């Protein structure tokens, strides 16, 4: 293990967890990732291995059967997993977002029911906010929840659900018109239990997951739509038990997700650097290894600096969230920097590989197709810059 992307101040337990995950990644993920990715095959054996390691309960409190670890531990674990195969980190990401939302905002009954099953990996979560025509304007959601007695009837179409087919619990944001005049107070999060699989759901009448969306990268993990036609959900499955708080609950979850995407960017970039510096010491041109050419050394130096900078920014954002403080500024910065640097480091590693980087026999080809997803996942670079810019104006506003 090289000196890049080290984290100061970790406990012995955190170091042990990371060592275990790193060993799992090296032995169980990296050797099979490219083959599974090319087949677009769900990594069932890898997921079962993570379940046995207790990773699905990593951040869930011990009282509910989890490990009770911090967001920082989670982010560092995600970084290691993404270093092996980014799609696997996506499988745990939405699960952790939903678990965080239930733990932070759920009723005691919801915590008691869902969290132990989520910690054991028996229930796995998906997160549903986006819609086909929505983009970044969350206030424009059209999926509707209408109160009918002690239930709500949901109608609409959601988009870009990671784990949409394989999950058994989906946190779905709907418009409910119960919170007030602001559109942000008229959204509610519903917790919908379903059976894993595609097509009409056998246990939730009216709910359909049509099938996997074909993607250029980020394969293996299923990305889907979700169609709701007169889906009836009991009122006790409103997250927190009170309608109208969905937007704020989702944004809290998205902050966790942005740290996750930053961690994924760090992991993919680190793997690209490892591949690039290894190949540079094997390939010879003009009578010497290409690593001895100054142009390649400059490129490796730039790549390593970006890997290190992104990692430290990600760690800062996670620690800020763990402290209980508002971290939208730090999470936005970390997600923006890590995703952009990941794209650049992967491309530089691709260039170092020369023509072989274009071959599917080399791992860098897969990373080159995966990196672009990080530029748009959990909010585009432009959205992150808007968030950061607004927060900076709040912090540095001059007196008039």
């Amino acid at each position: 293990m090289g000196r890049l992307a080290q984290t100061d101040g970790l406990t012995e337990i955190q170091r042990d967890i990371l060592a275990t995950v790193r060993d799992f990644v090296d032995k169980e993920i990296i050797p099979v990732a490219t083959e599974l990715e090319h087949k677009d095959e769900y990594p069932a054996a890898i997921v079962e291995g993570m379940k046995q390691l207790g990773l699905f309960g990593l951040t869930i409190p011990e009282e509910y059967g989890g490990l009770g670890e911090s967001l920082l531990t989670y982010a560092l674990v995600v970084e290691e997993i993404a270093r092996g195969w980014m799609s696997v980190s996506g499988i745990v990401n939405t699960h952790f977002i939903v678990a965080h939302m239930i733990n932070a905002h759920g009723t005691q009954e919801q915590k008691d029911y869902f969290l132990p099953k989520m910690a054991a990996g028996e229930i796995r979560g998906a997160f549903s906010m986006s819609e086909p025509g929505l983009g970044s304007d969350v206030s424009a959601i059209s999926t509707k929840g209408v109160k009918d007695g002690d239930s709500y009837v949901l109608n609409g179409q959601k988009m870009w659900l990671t784990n949409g087919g394989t999950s058994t619990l989906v946190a779905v944001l709907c418009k409910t018109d119960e919170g007030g005049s602001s559109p942000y107070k008229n959204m509610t999060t519903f917790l919908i239990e379903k059976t894993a699989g595609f097509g009409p759901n056998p246990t939730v009448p009216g709910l359909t997951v049509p099938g996997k969306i074909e993607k250029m990268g980020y394969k293996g993990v299923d990305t889907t739509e979700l169609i709701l036609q007169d889906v009836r959900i009991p009122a006790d499955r409103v997250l927190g038990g009170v309608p109208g708080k969905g937007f704020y609950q989702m944004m809290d979850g998205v902050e966790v997700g942005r740290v996750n995407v930053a961690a994924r960017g760090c992991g993919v970039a680190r793997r690209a650097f490892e591949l690039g510096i290894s190949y540079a010491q094997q390939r010879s041109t003009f009578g010497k290894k290409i690593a001895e050419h100054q142009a390649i050394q400059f490129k490796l130096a730039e790549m390593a600096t970006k890997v290190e900078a992104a990692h430290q920014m990600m760690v800062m954002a996670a620690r800020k969230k763990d402290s209980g403080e508002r971290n939208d500024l730090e999470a936005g910065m970390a997600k923006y920097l890590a995703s952009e640097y990941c794209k650049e480091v992967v491309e530089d590693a691709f260039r170092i590989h020369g023509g072989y980087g274009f071959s599917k026999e080399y791992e860098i080809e897969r990373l080159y197709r995966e990196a672009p997803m990080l530029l748009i996942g959990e909010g585009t670079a432009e959205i992150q810059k808007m968030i950061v810019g607004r927060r900076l104006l709040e912090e540095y506003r001059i007196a008039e």
Side-chain angles (χ1 to χ4, degrees):
M1 181 180 175
R3 66 184 293 171
L4 289 182
Q6 298 298 300
T7 309
D8 293 332
L10 297 181
T11 66
E12 184 176 349
I13 292 175
Q14 287 174 312
R15 290 194 297 270
D16 287 345
I17 290 172
L18 291 175
T20 300
V21 172
R22 191 176 300 120
D23 184 63
F24 179 79
V25 168
D26 288 339
K27 292 179 180 178
E28 306 296 334
I29 297 182
I30 289 177
V32 299
T34 296
E35 180 183 358
L36 292 175
E37 197 272 349
H38 287 170
K39 294 179 180 178
D40 198 7
E41 182 177 328
Y42 186 77
I46 294 173
V47 171
E48 184 59 30
M50 293 194 299
K51 183 178 174 181
Q52 296 301 319
L53 289 175
L55 294 185
F56 286 101
L58 185 64
T59 60
I60 293 173
E62 292 182 17
E63 64 192 278
Y64 300 109
L67 297 178
E69 278 296 325
S70 63
L71 178 61
L72 174 62
T73 307
Y74 160 59
L76 296 174
V77 165
V78 165
E79 181 181 26
E80 291 294 340
I81 293 173
R83 174 181 155 268
W85 184 12
M86 190 180 77
S87 293
V88 178
S89 67
I91 290 170
V92 296
N93 176 36
T94 55
H95 178 82
F96 280 125
I97 290 177
V98 176
H100 169 79
M101 290 169 61
I102 293 172
N103 187 52
H105 306 287
T107 64
Q108 191 59 53
E109 180 188 4
Q110 290 167 353
K111 294 177 187 180
D112 291 340
Y113 178 77
F114 286 112
L115 293 182
K117 293 183 175 70
M118 296 184 79
E122 296 171 10
I123 288 179
R124 293 209 290 273
F127 173 84
S128 180
M129 182 169 61
S130 187
E131 296 181 1
L134 191 62
S136 300
D137 183 11
V138 181
S139 66
I141 66 168
S142 59
T143 300
K144 187 98 172 176
V146 178
K147 187 75 181 293
D148 182 22
D150 58 357
S151 299
Y152 283 83
V153 178
L154 312 184
N155 282 281
Q157 182 180 7
K158 309 300 281 188
M159 192 72 173
W160 305 118
L161 278 77
T162 301
N163 300 314
T166 50
S167 63
T168 51
L169 172 65
V170 187
V172 181
L173 185 65
C174 298
K175 184 175 290 185
T176 49
D177 295 336
E178 291 183 293
S181 57
S182 168
Y184 299 104
K185 294 181 179 179
N186 281 295
M187 301 184 209
T188 299
T189 304
F190 293 91
L191 301 173
I192 303 178
E193 285 188 271
K194 68 179 186 66
T195 304
F198 299 97
N201 200 271
T203 56
V204 185
L207 186 146
T208 302
V209 178
K212 293 196 298 185
I213 297 170
E214 296 294 329
K215 301 162 292 187
M216 77 172 188
Y218 197 41
K219 294 177 180 290
V221 60
D222 48 296
T223 304
T224 74
E225 298 175 75
L226 183 72
I227 298 172
L228 304 117
Q229 295 178 312
D230 294 329
V231 174
R232 186 171 291 273
I233 300 297
D236 63 6
R237 287 297 179 258
V238 169
L239 179 60
V242 179
K245 297 184 177 182
F247 175 79
Y248 306 100
Q249 294 163 346
M250 285 274 173
M251 289 304 103
D252 184 29
V254 165
E255 283 186 10
V256 172
R258 284 180 180 144
V259 173
N260 170 280
V261 172
R264 282 196 251 180
C266 292
V268 174
R270 181 146 59 94
R271 183 60 180 166
F273 172 79
E274 291 171 356
L275 294 172
I277 199 169
S278 175
Y279 185 81
Q281 295 172 79
Q282 298 171 46
R283 173 73 169 169
S284 295
T285 62
F286 303 101
K288 59 182 178 181
K289 302 296 184 185
I290 64 172
E292 297 175 28
H293 292 293
Q294 189 180 65
I296 299 298
Q297 290 179 7
F298 283 0
K299 197 175 291 292
L300 292 170
E302 292 169 358
M303 292 163 68
T305 301
K306 290 173 181 177
V307 167
E308 186 67 22
H311 173 83
Q312 299 303 335
M313 178 89 55
M314 178 270 291
V315 168
M316 178 184 68
R319 282 182 162 148
K320 193 81 170 179
K321 184 78 170 176
D322 282 333
S323 72
E325 298 180 67
R326 181 177 177 181
N327 88 324
D328 53 345
L329 175 67
E330 290 79 10
M333 285 181 168
K335 193 275 175 184
Y336 167 61
L337 189 79
S339 59
E340 294 291 337
Y341 276 179
C342 175
K343 174 194 64 119
E344 294 170 12
V345 171
V346 167
E347 183 170 342
D348 281 341
F350 175 83
R351 290 171 182 267
I352 287 172
H353 279 74
Y356 288 105
F358 209 63
S359 167
K360 286 196 171 186
E361 295 181 18
Y362 283 75
E363 190 177 340
I364 191 63
E365 177 269 343
R366 169 171 61 83
L367 271 59
Y368 194 77
R369 288 183 290 103
E370 289 178 337
M373 197 285 291
L374 299 171
L375 300 173
I376 54 176
E378 310 296 357
T380 63
E382 290 73 23
I383 289 295
Q384 306 312 316
K385 287 188 277 190
M386 283 175 56
I387 292 168
V388 170
R390 288 170 180 170
R391 287 287 286 116
L392 290 173
L393 286 172
E394 289 179 21
E395 295 285 339
Y396 289 90
R397 189 169 304 279
I398 61 174
E400 296 181 0

